[in-house]
Amino acid sequence: MTRGSSWRWWVASFVYWTLSGLAAASEAHSVGGGAWSDVLRTSLVAHCLWAPLTLLVIRLGLRYPFERPHLVARLVLHAVGALVASLARAAAIYALDPWVGWYAQRPDFFDVLEHSLLYNPFTYFTVLGVANALYYAEQVRLREGQLARAQLHVLKAQLHPHFLFNTLHSISALVHRNPDGSERMIARLSDLLRSTLDAATREEVPLREELRSLQLYLDIQGVRFADRLTVRRDIDPDTLGAHVPHFLLQPLVENAIQHGIAPGSEPGTVTLVARREGSELRLEVRDDGLGLKSPPEALTRSGGGKGLWLTRERLTQLYGRDHRLELRDAEGGGTEVLLALPFRAETSA
């Protein structure tokens, strides 16, 4: 129960006990035949006295739920709570009786207390059961969130070595053939790793930051492929502040280069597209290389390679069903990967 939501709990509590009081008044009128004004007054006041107590019991239940290591202590604590609630209600009814009129002749306080002790502990533990249900539902939600974050971290940890090994392999192929180029690749790799570590604790980054990291990777591949690789960008400026998963584009561009451009002998082009369509951010990575060796449906079922599989898993963890990842033959030849994500832009301070 947070401070910001406390007024909702007050409203919910009063609405519940008012409805409960109306139901009890209707039953009392049907059975006892008393005047509506009398049964409404006595029943509504008696039930609404539970409204503030309900909030106290729920707060107490959320703070001290029934948990195995403290079960006996919590039982004693709530038994005392039930006695205090019964005493409070007995005192309130005894004090208000001259105005509300529960009794034709006000009895002794201990008679009122005895009646209260017979009835109110049951209500106390019923409300406490609701509080415990809320507590454990929140615990399940928190654990599911922690599990999803842990899975994301595992996926990112798998993704980075996958990229690193491929890049080091590219550098090793150039060490003797192009020492200056391999030196530039190592420098860019260093910058890229530094950028990756800076964003290691964030699951999402603005698209402009993701593109900066991607450019470092493209600089590395530019040294390796020289004039054989051209990169075109069609980036809507309005999308630069949109949130995207960190390291999202690199494995897709890597696939385009490794499987589309590298196996051929002709120069190739990788095209990046980002635009907003309604509530979605659409990203496209296209190459004009060799195209898919298998039907897109078969690649989708098999995961389409480790980079694509990891990307798909990360998107599922982050967005559930609110995303799309489509692998297909590009128009005019080559391969195209289409991503559709919820558009969430960074807010200005």
Side-chain angles (χ1 to χ4, degrees):
M1 186 187 302
T2 63
R3 181 174 298 180
S5 65
S6 61
W7 67 271
R8 295 188 181 90
W9 284 95
W10 277 99
V11 171
S13 181
F14 270 105
V15 167
Y16 173 80
W17 286 110
T18 298
L19 293 175
S20 179
L22 288 173
S26 176
E27 183 179 10
H29 176 73
S30 300
V31 175
W36 266 112
S37 58
D38 291 338
V39 294
L40 279 173
R41 182 179 65 252
T42 55
S43 183
L44 284 175
V45 174
H47 282 78
C48 286
L49 284 175
W50 259 109
L53 287 175
T54 295
L55 299 181
L56 291 174
V57 174
I58 286 180
R59 189 178 290 275
L60 200 62
L62 292 176
R63 183 159 185 166
Y64 303 105
F66 289 126
E67 292 178 311
R68 188 177 294 275
H70 313 289
L71 186 57
V72 175
R74 299 288 166 84
L75 277 171
V76 172
L77 172 69
H78 289 298
V80 173
L83 291 176
V84 171
S86 301
L87 178 63
R89 277 186 55 83
I93 288 175
Y94 184 79
L96 294 174
D97 184 66
W99 294 275
V100 180
W102 284 293
Y103 301 98
Q105 184 174 0
R106 190 164 66 162
D108 185 79
F109 172 74
F110 290 100
D111 293 334
V112 178
L113 179 60
E114 180 182 359
H115 178 75
S116 180
L117 288 172
L118 290 173
Y119 170 74
N120 290 301
F122 174 77
T123 305
Y124 178 96
F125 280 100
T126 300
V127 175
L128 189 63
V130 174
N132 273 262
L134 293 172
Y135 172 81
Y136 283 107
E138 177 68 10
Q139 293 302 306
V140 169
R141 190 185 67 79
L142 290 174
R143 285 170 187 165
E144 288 177 346
Q146 289 169 349
L147 177 61
R149 284 194 292 275
Q151 289 172 332
L152 270 176
H153 290 151
V154 170
L155 290 172
K156 287 179 71 174
Q158 290 178 308
L159 191 62
H160 295 176
H162 174 69
F163 150 74
L164 186 59
F165 294 148
N166 285 343
T167 304
L168 289 175
H169 179 73
S170 300
I171 292 173
S172 68
L174 282 181
V175 166
H176 298 293
R177 182 160 48 92
N178 185 355
D180 293 340
S182 61
E183 187 176 338
R184 289 198 298 276
M185 289 176 74
I186 292 172
R188 292 293 182 272
L189 178 60
S190 174
D191 293 339
L192 182 56
L193 291 177
R194 186 179 299 110
S195 170
T196 301
L197 290 174
D198 289 343
T201 58
R202 292 178 288 166
E203 299 299 350
E204 292 181 313
V205 296
L207 179 60
R208 68 169 64 84
E209 190 173 328
E210 177 68 7
L211 291 173
R212 279 199 294 269
S213 297
L214 180 64
Q215 185 57 49
L216 294 172
Y217 171 77
L218 289 172
D219 289 343
I220 294 171
Q221 297 301 330
V223 175
R224 178 187 173 193
F225 286 91
D227 296 336
R228 282 195 58 210
L229 175 63
T230 301
V231 178
R232 292 178 178 163
R233 296 171 181 79
D234 180 10
I235 309 295
D236 184 343
D238 292 339
T239 64
L240 291 175
H243 291 179
V244 298
H246 183 231
F247 235 51
L248 171 70
L249 295 175
Q250 183 275 328
L252 303 180
V253 172
E254 182 178 356
N255 275 351
I257 295 174
Q258 299 294 335
H259 303 297
I261 308 299
S265 57
E266 299 297 322
T269 300
V270 173
T271 303
L272 305 173
V273 179
R275 61 180 181 273
R276 180 176 183 173
E277 290 190 0
S279 60
E280 287 186 340
L281 170 67
R282 292 173 67 92
L283 301 169
E284 295 175 18
V285 177
R286 292 199 298 265
D287 70 75
D288 57 358
L290 300 180
L292 297 172
K293 297 178 181 177
S294 304
E297 297 78 10
L299 288 170
T300 299
R301 285 195 298 272
S302 66
K306 188 167 187 177
L308 198 61
W309 176 81
L310 287 168
T311 301
R312 198 186 301 278
E313 289 297 306
R314 289 186 69 198
L315 294 176
T316 300
Q317 291 292 337
L318 282 169
Y319 307 114
R321 295 183 177 180
D322 296 333
H323 80 278
R324 280 181 291 132
L325 191 160
E326 298 176 6
L327 176 68
R328 59 196 183 195
D329 290 312
E331 188 175 345
T335 307
E336 179 181 71
V337 177
L338 167 67
L339 295 170
L341 312 176
F343 188 96
R344 295 201 302 263
E346 59 184 352
T347 56
S348 57

